[in-house]
Amino acid sequence: MAMNKNTVLAWATWIMIFVGLALIAMGAFRYDDVAGWGFAAVGVGFFANAWVFNALKGRV
C-alpha cells in the first residue's frame, strides 16, 4: 500500500482528532482539579493542529 502525502495527512488528522478527544475526556472525567483544565486545553490544541493538517491536504 503506497501512501502519498495526502494519505499521511489524512491519517495524522484522524489520529490527532482521536487523541484530542481522549485528552478532553480525561480533563472532563478523570481530573477534577486544575489539571483537568490543562488536559482539555491541550486537547483543543490537538484539534487546532488537526484542522491545519486537514487544510494542508492537496496543497503540499
Side-chain angles (χ1 to χ4, degrees), residues 5-6 9-10 13 49-60:
K5 290 180 268 188
N6 289 331
L9 285 172
T13 301
N49 282 337
W51 181 27
V52 169
F53 281 175
N54 192 28
L56 285 175
K57 284 192 307 190
R59 299 190 189 275
V60 291

Side-chain angles (χ1 to χ4, degrees), residues 16-44:
M16 292 191 84
I17 287 173
F18 177 72
V19 172
L21 285 174
L23 285 169
I24 290 173
M26 282 179 62
F29 300 117
R30 174 73 170 94
Y31 297 102
D32 293 332
D33 51 353
V34 179
W37 289 100
F39 274 99
V42 171
V44 171

